[in-house]
Amino acid sequence: MTEFHGIIPPIITPFKENGDVDYDAFVHNIEKWNNDQLAGYLVLGSNSEAPFLSREEKLKLIELTASNAKAGRTILAGTGLESARETVRLTNDAAKRGAQAALVLTPSYYIDQMDDPALIQYFKEVADHADIPILIYNVPKFTHLNVSINVAKALGEHPNVAGMKDSSGNVEQLSVFFKSASENFQVIVGTAGALLPALKIGIRGAIPALANAAPNHCAHVQRFFEEGLIQRAEELQQRLTPVNTAVTATYGVTGLKYASTLMGYHGGFVRNPLRELNEKAKNDIRRILGEAGVLGPGS
Amino acid sequence: MTEFHGIIPPIITPFKENGDVDYDAFVHNIEKWNNDQLAGYLVLGSNSEAPFLSREEKLKLIELTASNAKAGRTILAGTGLESARETVRLTNDAAKRGAQAALVLTPSYYIDQMDDPALIQYFKEVADHADIPILIYNVPKFTHLNVSINVAKALGEHPNVAGMKDSSGNVEQLSVFFKSASENFQVIVGTAGALLPALKIGIRGAIPALANAAPNHCAHVQRFFEEGLIQRAEELQQRLTPVNTAVTATYGVTGLKYASTLMGYHGGFVRNPLRELNEKAKNDIRRILGEAGVLGPGS
Amino acid sequence: MTEFHGIIPPIITPFKENGDVDYDAFVHNIEKWNNDQLAGYLVLGSNSEAPFLSREEKLKLIELTASNAKAGRTILAGTGLESARETVRLTNDAAKRGAQAALVLTPSYYIDQMDDPALIQYFKEVADHADIPILIYNVPKFTHLNVSINVAKALGEHPNVAGMKDSSGNVEQLSVFFKSASENFQVIVGTAGALLPALKIGIRGAIPALANAAPNHCAHVQRFFEEGLIQRAEELQQRLTPVNTAVTATYGVTGLKYASTLMGYHGGFVRNPLRELNEKAKNDIRRILGEAGVLGPGS
Amino acid sequence: MTEFHGIIPPIITPFKENGDVDYDAFVHNIEKWNNDQLAGYLVLGSNSEAPFLSREEKLKLIELTASNAKAGRTILAGTGLESARETVRLTNDAAKRGAQAALVLTPSYYIDQMDDPALIQYFKEVADHADIPILIYNVPKFTHLNVSINVAKALGEHPNVAGMKDSSGNVEQLSVFFKSASENFQVIVGTAGALLPALKIGIRGAIPALANAAPNHCAHVQRFFEEGLIQRAEELQQRLTPVNTAVTATYGVTGLKYASTLMGYHGGFVRNPLRELNEKAKNDIRRILGEAGVLGPGS
C-alpha cells in the first residue's frame, strides 16, 4: 500500500466568472505545482469546493489531475458521499480515472444516528468494495462529528483502509490516533498549523490547504525537520501559521484561492453560495503573506 | 402560485436488502396514500434518505411520484444541493419529471461562511433560474444553521419563492416567520409535533414525517381544526405527539420506516450508514403506536 | 405539595447605575405586580441576572419578595448551583427567608460528565436534603444540555420533586414530559411563546419572562383558555409572541428590563458583562410592544 | 509584573467521603509539590472543582495555598464569576489571602450576548479594579465560547492584564495569540498535550492539569527543551500525551484525582454531581500511567 510521505495539496478548483469550471486554469495549476516539492495531489477535498460540483465535473477533474501530474506523484481523490453505496460507486469510477487512493469523508447528515457502530459499518462496506485503498477523512468543523479512537482502531486492521486524514487541528488527538492505531494505519495531518508538531509525533504525510499557495514553504518545514535542522523548521512553521489561519479559519476557501492567485496559481472565482472577498479582506491576506515572507522580495 | 393547504408526507424510499431502491414498493406506497386524505407528496426530503441517492435514482423517484399520484395532488421535490448551480440543474430536471415546486435545503457545508448574505445570494440565484417555485427548507437539526427572519424577509418578495418549510420544531419561530413575511410567503410546518399549534397561527400546510405512517390521523387534526371541532383536534394532536417523537427524535427515519410498515405501507430497508432497528426498538414503536390508538383495533 | 396554577413571573433585578441592587425599585415592582393577575413570583431565575449576584444579595431578594408579595402568592426561588452540596445549602437558606419551593438549574460546567446518572444523582441528593420541594429547571440555551425523559421519570417519583420548568421552547418535548412523568410531577412552561400550546396539553403553570412586562396579558391567555374563549386566547397569544421574541431571543434580559420599564415597572440597569441597549434597540422594542397592543392607547 | 515561566499545576481539591473539603489532604499535596519542580500553584481552576465550592471554602483554600507554598512560588487564584462586580470582589479578597495574580474565566451564561464588546467591557472593568494582575482564562470546552484575537488585542495593552491562559488545545490559536498580542501580554498554555509545541512557539508558562499527578514529568519537558535536548523533550512529550488524554478528555477531573492518588498525592473524593470512577476506569488509568512510564519501576 502507498506510504504517504510528504506534502499533498488539497487542490482548489478555479471557476470562471459564469460559474463553469475553468479546466485550463486547473491544468495550469497542476503544471506549476509539478515544479514544486510535492508528493502528490488530493483532488476533491474540502478546499476544492467538491460539494458544489457535479459528478461529471468531479470525474473530469480526477482525470485531469492524473493525466497532468508529474510522474511518481500520488493521486488522491475525495469520494465520500453520505451513503456507502454511492461512495463505493464514485470511488471506483475515480479509480478508473487514475485515483490511487480515496479520501472518504465521514457521513454526517443524520448526525444523531452517526455513532461508532454506524461509522464502522459505513467505512467497512466502503473499504470492502473499493478498488483502491481508502483513508478516513475527519474534519469536525464541517461535519460536526469527531471520529473516535474506537472507530480508528476498528478499521485499522482492514487491509483496504490505509489510514486517516485528521483535520481537527488538535495535536493531542493526532498523537493518540498515531499511537493507538495499527502500524499499517497511517495518520495524515490535515492542517499546516499543526504540520511540525505532527512531524514530531512521527507523522510523515500532510494534506494542508496552505500547500496550494505555498507548497514549497510547507515542504521546507518537513525537509528541515527531516534533515535535523529543527531550528529552521521551527522558524518557518512560526512564519507560516498566521498565513494558514488567514486561508482557513479567517477567510476559508475564498481566502485560499486569493492567496494562491497572489502566488502565481489560478485561484479563479468561487461558486455561489460562497462569496468573493472584498478589498479589505484581499489587502489583509496580501499583508499577511508579505509579513510572513511568503510573498514579496524575500520570499 | 400553488397554495399549500393540507398534509403532504415527505415520503420514504424503501430499499431492498441489497440496497437497491425498491421502486415497486415505492409505487405501492403512493397508491395506498392516494386513498388517504393528503394534499400532495414531497419526494426527496430528509425522510426519503435523499442524501443517499444517486441523481438518476432521484429523477426516477420524482417521475414515479408524479405519474402515480392521484390527480390534483401537488408534487414537491427536494432538490437542494450545496451549490446554487447544481440546485438549479436538479430543480429544472425535477420540473421536467413532474415536480410542481421544489423544496430547497439551506446549504451548510462551509458553515462559517453561511451568513445571511450568503443564504440570500444562494436562494436568489436558485429562484431566479428555477422553472418552478421554490420553498426554503429550514431544518437546523441536520444543517446546524437556522434561517433568520431577515433571510425570510429578503426572499419573501421574490416572485419565485413560494415560502418556507420550517422543521425547527419551535412554534414561536413559526409564528414570527408567519407574521413577518410577506403575504405571498407561505410558511409550512415541518413536524407533526407542532401541527395543531401551527394551524392556530394561521399556517395551512404541513409536511410532517408522521404523515407517511399515519396520514389520515394528521389530516384529521387539520379537518377537526377547520371544522371548529377544536377539542377533538386537541385530543388527536395529544395522542399523535408521542408517536411523532418515536419516528423522528428517538428512532429517526429507520423508526419512521418501521412504523410505516406496521401501518401497511412498505418501509423497506435503510441504506448504510443507517442501521436497522433491533427488536427492542421495534417493540417500543409498536407499543407507542398501539397506545396512541394509531395501530390496532381502535385505530 | 403546592400545585402550580397560573402565571409566575421570573422577576427581574433592577440595578442602579453604579451596579448596586436597587432594592427600592425591586419592591416597587412587587407592589405593582401584586395588583396584577399573578399566582406567585420566581426570584433568582435566569431573568433576574442571578449568576451576577452575591449570596447575600440573593438571600435579601428572596426575603423582600416573600415579605412584599400579596398574601397567597407562591414564592419560588432559583437556587441551583453547580454542586448538590451548595445547592442544598442555598435552598435551605432560601426556605428560611420565605421561599416555598426551589427552582434548581441543571449543573452543566463539567458538561461531558453530565449524563443521565450524574443528573439523577444530583437532583436526588438535592431533593433528599431540601427543606422545600424542588423543581428541575431545564434551559438548554444557557446550559447546553437538555434534560432527558429518563431523568424526568427517575425523579418523578421522589416525594420532594414537584416537577420541572422546561424552557426549551419545544412544545413536543413539553407534551412528552407531561405525559410520561408521574401524576405528581408538574410540568411548567418556561416561555410565553409556548404558553397557549402548553395549556392545551394540560399544563397549568407558566413562568414566562414576558410576565414581568405584561403580566395580565399572559394571565388573560390562560383565563380565556380556561373559560373556553379559545378564539380570544389564540388571538392574544398571536399578539404576544413577537413581543416575547423581542424580550428573550432578540434582546435578552436587557430587552426584558427595558420593556418592563416601558410598562411602568422599574427595569433599571443591567450588570456588566451585559450591555445597555442602544437607541435603535429601544425603538424596536417600543414599536413591537405598540404593534402588539401591549403598550399604548389600546393596551 | 510577574513573568510566568515554568509549570504551575491547577491544583485539585480533595474532598472527604462526606463531601467536606479535606484541608489536611490539600496541605499534604502542597507540601509534596513543594519538592517538585514547579513555578507556582493555581488554586481554584477548573480542576479544583471551583464551581462546587462556597466562597468561604475558596478563600480558605487560597490562604492555605499561599501559606504552605514554598517561598518564591507564584500563587494564582481562579476568581472568575459571571459578573465583573463579583469577580472584582472575589479577586480582591483573594489578593488579601495571598494570591499574586488572578485567573479570570470568561463569563458565558448569557452566551448570546457575550460578543467581543461584552467580553472587553467585562475584563476591562475587572482589570481596572483588581488589586492584582489578571489573566484571561479561555476554556471553550466548559464555556462554549472561544476568546477572539480581537479581545486579546484590546486587552493586551491594559497595564493590569498580564495575559491569558488558553486551554483550547489548538496550537495554531496559541501561536496566533502569542504573535498578535503585545509584548506584555503573556500567553500560557493550558494543557499538557500541547506543552512542547507551545514552548516552541516561545511560550514559557504552562498550567496543565497533568502537573497535579506528574509535575516533574511536565517540568522535564520544559527543562529538556530549554537545555536544547530537543529529542528527549519530544520523547517525553510523546509519552505524556496519552496520560494527559486520560486525565482530561476521557475521565475528566475524577480521572485526574485518581491519577494523582496513584502518584502519592491525595486525590480524595469528588463532589456530586461528579461521580466516582468504576474499577474498569481505574484500571485503565493505572495501565496508561504504567505504559507511559509515569507510574512504576521505571518512573
Side-chain angles (χ1 to χ4, degrees):
Chain A
M1 194 176 290
T2 314
E3 205 226 311
F4 296 98
H5 178 204
I7 307 295
I8 295 177
I11 61 180
I12 53 175
T13 306
F15 296 104
K16 298 180 186 172
E17 191 162 7
N18 71 1
D20 290 348
V21 176
D22 189 339
Y23 293 108
D24 291 341
F26 183 82
V27 171
H28 164 272
N29 288 346
I30 295 188
E31 287 171 350
K32 186 162 161 53
W33 285 316
N34 279 340
N35 297 319
D36 297 323
Q37 297 155 47
L38 295 169
Y41 302 108
L42 167 66
V43 57
L44 307 179
S46 296
N47 287 290
S48 74
E49 296 167 74
F52 295 168
L53 300 170
S54 73
R55 198 172 199 282
E56 294 70 31
E57 290 168 337
K58 288 181 180 181
L59 293 176
K60 181 155 180 191
L61 289 168
I62 295 169
E63 207 162 58
L64 285 174
T65 306
S67 59
N68 287 283
K70 195 170 166 179
R73 298 209 165 174
T74 303
I75 308 303
L76 270 166
T79 60
L81 295 168
E82 286 286 330
S83 65
R85 181 184 177 103
E86 283 302 301
T87 301
V88 168
R89 201 163 68 92
L90 183 57
T91 301
N92 291 343
D93 282 349
K96 290 198 193 81
R97 266 73 174 184
Q100 294 160 335
L103 187 69
V104 179
L105 186 71
T106 51
S108 64
Y109 190 76
Y110 300 102
I111 196 157
D112 286 349
Q113 274 76 40
M114 291 303 102
D115 53 11
D116 284 1
L119 292 177
I120 291 169
Q121 163 189 291
Y122 169 89
F123 283 109
K124 192 178 174 313
E125 181 169 329
V126 174
D128 282 349
H129 296 94
D131 296 336
I132 47 176
I134 67 162
L135 288 158
I136 300 166
Y137 178 22
N138 186 38
V139 59
K141 76 172 168 173
F142 294 136
T143 60
H144 310 275
L145 68 79
N146 192 17
V147 170
S148 76
I149 187 67
N150 291 331
V151 168
K153 280 185 177 167
L155 295 160
E157 300 299 335
H158 194 292
N160 207 28
V161 175
M164 134 181 235
K165 174 188 177 188
D166 180 56
S167 297
S168 70
N170 187 314
V171 177
E172 180 163 340
Q173 175 165 305
L174 273 174
S175 172
V176 173
F177 277 129
F178 184 76
K179 280 187 193 322
S180 311
S182 72
E183 213 174 317
N184 295 320
F185 187 85
Q186 299 180 60
V187 177
I188 297 177
V189 59
T191 171
L195 176 55
L196 187 53
L199 295 171
K200 288 172 177 166
I201 289 164
I203 288 170
R204 292 162 51 83
I207 306 180
L210 182 60
N212 278 278
N216 290 332
H217 289 85
C218 293
H220 290 165
V221 171
Q222 184 159 15
R223 206 187 65 198
F224 291 150
F225 172 76
E226 294 184 349
E227 293 178 352
L229 303 169
I230 306 296
Q231 194 55 33
R232 293 187 64 184
E234 296 285 357
E235 282 163 11
L236 184 51
Q237 173 72 60
Q238 299 310 322
R239 276 166 52 204
L240 294 181
T241 295
V243 183
N244 186 59
T245 301
V247 301
T248 57
T250 314
Y251 297 112
V253 64
T254 324
L256 177 63
K257 292 175 96 167
Y258 182 66
S260 299
T261 296
L262 290 176
M263 298 300 291
Y265 305 91
H266 290 350
F269 290 85
V270 289
R271 269 193 179 162
N272 183 340
L274 289 182
R275 299 165 70 212
E276 299 298 333
L277 300 180
N278 59 27
E279 285 309 307
K280 189 170 166 301
K282 289 182 179 176
N283 289 337
D284 195 31
I285 292 171
R286 203 179 298 112
R287 181 186 56 75
I288 290 168
L289 283 169
E291 285 175 6
V294 170
L295 185 67
S299 70
Chain B
M1 194 177 289
T2 315
E3 205 226 310
F4 297 98
H5 178 204
I7 307 295
I8 295 177
I11 61 180
I12 53 175
T13 306
F15 296 104
K16 299 180 185 173
E17 191 162 7
N18 71 0
D20 290 348
V21 176
D22 189 339
Y23 293 107
D24 291 341
F26 183 83
V27 171
H28 164 272
N29 288 345
I30 295 188
E31 287 171 349
K32 185 161 162 56
W33 285 317
N34 279 339
N35 298 318
D36 297 322
Q37 297 156 47
L38 296 169
Y41 302 108
L42 166 66
V43 58
L44 307 178
S46 296
N47 287 290
S48 75
E49 296 166 75
F52 295 167
L53 300 170
S54 72
R55 197 170 199 282
E56 295 70 31
E57 290 167 338
K58 287 181 180 182
L59 293 176
K60 181 155 180 191
L61 289 168
I62 295 169
E63 206 162 59
L64 285 174
T65 306
S67 59
N68 287 284
K70 193 170 168 180
R73 298 210 166 173
T74 304
I75 309 302
L76 271 166
T79 61
L81 296 167
E82 287 285 330
S83 66
R85 182 183 176 103
E86 284 302 302
T87 301
V88 167
R89 201 164 68 93
L90 183 58
T91 302
N92 290 344
D93 282 349
K96 290 198 193 79
R97 266 72 173 185
Q100 294 160 336
L103 186 69
V104 178
L105 186 70
T106 52
S108 65
Y109 189 77
Y110 301 104
I111 196 157
D112 286 350
Q113 274 75 41
M114 292 302 103
D115 53 10
D116 284 2
L119 292 177
I120 291 168
Q121 164 189 290
Y122 169 89
F123 283 109
K124 192 180 172 314
E125 181 169 328
V126 174
D128 282 349
H129 296 94
D131 296 336
I132 47 177
I134 67 163
L135 289 158
I136 299 166
Y137 178 22
N138 186 40
V139 60
K141 76 172 170 173
F142 293 135
T143 60
H144 311 274
L145 69 78
N146 192 16
V147 170
S148 76
I149 187 67
N150 292 330
V151 168
K153 279 185 179 169
L155 295 161
E157 300 299 335
H158 194 293
N160 207 28
V161 175
M164 132 183 236
K165 175 188 176 188
D166 181 55
S167 299
S168 70
N170 187 313
V171 177
E172 180 164 341
Q173 175 166 304
L174 273 174
S175 171
V176 173
F177 278 130
F178 185 77
K179 279 186 194 322
S180 311
S182 71
E183 212 174 319
N184 295 320
F185 188 85
Q186 300 181 61
V187 177
I188 298 176
V189 60
T191 172
L195 176 55
L196 187 54
L199 295 171
K200 288 171 178 168
I201 290 165
I203 288 170
R204 292 163 50 85
I207 308 181
L210 182 61
N212 278 279
N216 290 333
H217 289 84
C218 293
H220 290 165
V221 171
Q222 183 160 16
R223 205 187 67 198
F224 290 150
F225 172 76
E226 295 184 350
E227 293 178 353
L229 304 168
I230 306 297
Q231 193 55 33
R232 292 187 65 184
E234 295 285 357
E235 282 164 10
L236 184 51
Q237 173 70 60
Q238 299 309 323
R239 275 166 52 203
L240 294 181
T241 295
V243 182
N244 186 58
T245 300
V247 300
T248 58
T250 313
Y251 297 112
V253 63
T254 325
L256 177 63
K257 291 174 97 166
Y258 182 66
S260 298
T261 296
L262 290 176
M263 298 300 292
Y265 304 90
H266 290 350
F269 290 84
V270 288
R271 268 194 180 161
N272 182 344
L274 289 181
R275 299 164 69 213
E276 299 298 331
L277 299 179
N278 59 26
E279 285 309 307
K280 189 171 166 300
K282 288 182 179 177
N283 289 337
D284 196 32
I285 292 171
R286 202 179 299 112
R287 179 186 57 74
I288 291 168
L289 283 169
E291 284 175 8
V294 170
L295 185 67
S299 70
Chain C
M1 194 177 290
T2 314
E3 204 226 312
F4 296 98
H5 179 204
I7 307 294
I8 295 177
I11 62 181
I12 53 175
T13 306
F15 296 104
K16 298 180 186 173
E17 191 162 8
N18 70 2
D20 289 349
V21 176
D22 189 338
Y23 294 107
D24 291 341
F26 182 84
V27 171
H28 163 272
N29 287 345
I30 295 188
E31 287 171 348
K32 184 160 162 57
W33 285 316
N34 279 339
N35 297 318
D36 298 322
Q37 297 156 48
L38 296 169
Y41 302 108
L42 166 67
V43 57
L44 306 178
S46 296
N47 286 290
S48 75
E49 297 166 74
F52 295 167
L53 300 170
S54 72
R55 196 171 199 284
E56 295 69 32
E57 290 168 338
K58 288 181 180 183
L59 293 176
K60 180 154 180 193
L61 288 168
I62 296 168
E63 206 162 61
L64 284 174
T65 306
S67 59
N68 287 284
K70 193 169 167 180
R73 299 211 166 174
T74 304
I75 308 302
L76 270 166
T79 60
L81 296 167
E82 287 285 331
S83 65
R85 182 183 175 103
E86 284 302 303
T87 301
V88 167
R89 201 164 68 94
L90 183 57
T91 301
N92 290 343
D93 282 350
K96 290 198 193 79
R97 266 72 173 186
Q100 294 160 336
L103 186 69
V104 178
L105 186 69
T106 52
S108 64
Y109 189 76
Y110 301 103
I111 195 157
D112 286 349
Q113 273 75 41
M114 292 302 103
D115 53 10
D116 284 1
L119 292 177
I120 291 168
Q121 164 189 289
Y122 169 89
F123 283 110
K124 191 179 174 312
E125 182 169 328
V126 174
D128 282 349
H129 296 94
D131 296 336
I132 46 177
I134 67 162
L135 288 157
I136 300 166
Y137 178 22
N138 186 39
V139 60
K141 76 173 170 173
F142 294 136
T143 60
H144 311 273
L145 68 78
N146 192 16
V147 170
S148 76
I149 187 67
N150 291 331
V151 169
K153 280 185 179 168
L155 295 160
E157 300 298 336
H158 194 292
N160 206 29
V161 174
M164 128 183 238
K165 175 188 176 189
D166 181 55
S167 298
S168 70
N170 187 313
V171 177
E172 180 164 341
Q173 175 166 304
L174 274 173
S175 172
V176 173
F177 278 130
F178 185 76
K179 279 187 193 322
S180 311
S182 72
E183 213 174 318
N184 295 321
F185 188 84
Q186 299 181 60
V187 177
I188 298 176
V189 60
T191 171
L195 176 55
L196 187 53
L199 295 171
K200 288 171 178 169
I201 290 165
I203 289 170
R204 292 163 50 85
I207 307 181
L210 182 61
N212 278 279
N216 290 332
H217 289 84
C218 293
H220 291 165
V221 170
Q222 183 160 16
R223 205 187 66 199
F224 290 150
F225 172 76
E226 295 184 348
E227 293 177 352
L229 304 168
I230 306 296
Q231 193 55 33
R232 292 187 65 183
E234 295 286 356
E235 282 164 10
L236 184 51
Q237 172 71 60
Q238 298 310 322
R239 276 166 53 203
L240 294 181
T241 295
V243 182
N244 186 58
T245 300
V247 300
T248 58
T250 313
Y251 296 111
V253 63
T254 325
L256 177 63
K257 291 175 98 167
Y258 182 66
S260 299
T261 296
L262 290 176
M263 298 300 293
Y265 305 90
H266 290 349
F269 289 85
V270 288
R271 269 194 180 162
N272 182 342
L274 289 182
R275 300 165 68 214
E276 298 299 331
L277 299 180
N278 59 27
E279 285 309 307
K280 190 172 165 300
K282 289 182 179 177
N283 289 337
D284 196 32
I285 292 170
R286 202 179 298 112
R287 179 186 57 74
I288 291 167
L289 283 169
E291 284 175 7
V294 170
L295 185 68
S299 70
Chain D
M1 195 177 289
T2 314
E3 205 226 311
F4 297 98
H5 178 204
I7 306 296
I8 296 177
I11 62 180
I12 53 175
T13 306
F15 296 105
K16 299 180 185 172
E17 191 163 7
N18 71 1
D20 289 349
V21 177
D22 189 339
Y23 292 107
D24 291 341
F26 183 83
V27 171
H28 164 272
N29 287 346
I30 294 188
E31 288 171 348
K32 185 161 162 54
W33 285 316
N34 280 339
N35 298 318
D36 298 322
Q37 297 155 47
L38 295 169
Y41 302 108
L42 166 67
V43 57
L44 307 179
S46 296
N47 287 290
S48 75
E49 297 166 74
F52 295 166
L53 300 170
S54 73
R55 198 172 197 283
E56 295 70 32
E57 289 167 338
K58 287 182 181 183
L59 294 175
K60 180 154 181 193
L61 289 168
I62 295 169
E63 206 162 59
L64 284 174
T65 305
S67 59
N68 288 283
K70 194 171 166 178
R73 299 211 164 172
T74 304
I75 309 302
L76 270 167
T79 60
L81 296 167
E82 287 286 330
S83 65
R85 182 184 176 103
E86 283 302 301
T87 301
V88 168
R89 201 163 69 92
L90 182 58
T91 301
N92 290 343
D93 282 349
K96 290 198 192 81
R97 266 72 173 186
Q100 295 159 336
L103 186 70
V104 179
L105 186 70
T106 51
S108 64
Y109 189 77
Y110 300 103
I111 196 157
D112 286 349
Q113 273 76 41
M114 291 303 103
D115 53 10
D116 284 1
L119 292 177
I120 291 168
Q121 164 189 290
Y122 170 89
F123 283 109
K124 193 179 173 313
E125 181 169 329
V126 174
D128 282 349
H129 297 94
D131 296 336
I132 47 176
I134 67 162
L135 288 158
I136 300 166
Y137 178 21
N138 186 38
V139 59
K141 76 172 169 172
F142 294 136
T143 60
H144 310 274
L145 69 79
N146 192 17
V147 170
S148 77
I149 186 66
N150 292 330
V151 168
K153 280 185 178 168
L155 295 161
E157 300 299 335
H158 194 292
N160 206 28
V161 174
M164 132 180 236
K165 174 188 178 190
D166 180 55
S167 298
S168 70
N170 187 313
V171 177
E172 180 163 340
Q173 175 166 303
L174 274 174
S175 172
V176 173
F177 277 131
F178 184 76
K179 279 187 193 321
S180 309
S182 72
E183 214 175 317
N184 295 320
F185 187 85
Q186 300 180 61
V187 177
I188 298 176
V189 59
T191 170
L195 176 56
L196 187 53
L199 295 171
K200 288 172 176 167
I201 288 165
I203 288 170
R204 291 162 52 84
I207 307 181
L210 182 61
N212 278 279
N216 291 332
H217 289 84
C218 293
H220 289 166
V221 171
Q222 184 160 16
R223 206 187 66 198
F224 290 149
F225 172 76
E226 294 185 349
E227 293 178 353
L229 304 168
I230 306 297
Q231 194 55 34
R232 292 187 64 184
E234 296 286 357
E235 282 164 11
L236 184 51
Q237 173 71 61
Q238 298 310 322
R239 276 166 51 204
L240 294 181
T241 295
V243 182
N244 186 58
T245 301
V247 300
T248 57
T250 314
Y251 296 112
V253 64
T254 325
L256 177 63
K257 292 175 95 166
Y258 182 67
S260 299
T261 297
L262 290 176
M263 297 301 292
Y265 305 90
H266 290 350
F269 290 85
V270 289
R271 268 194 180 162
N272 182 342
L274 288 182
R275 300 164 69 213
E276 300 298 332
L277 300 179
N278 59 26
E279 284 310 307
K280 188 170 166 301
K282 289 182 179 176
N283 289 337
D284 196 32
I285 292 171
R286 203 179 299 112
R287 180 186 56 74
I288 290 168
L289 283 170
E291 284 175 6
V294 170
L295 185 68
S299 70

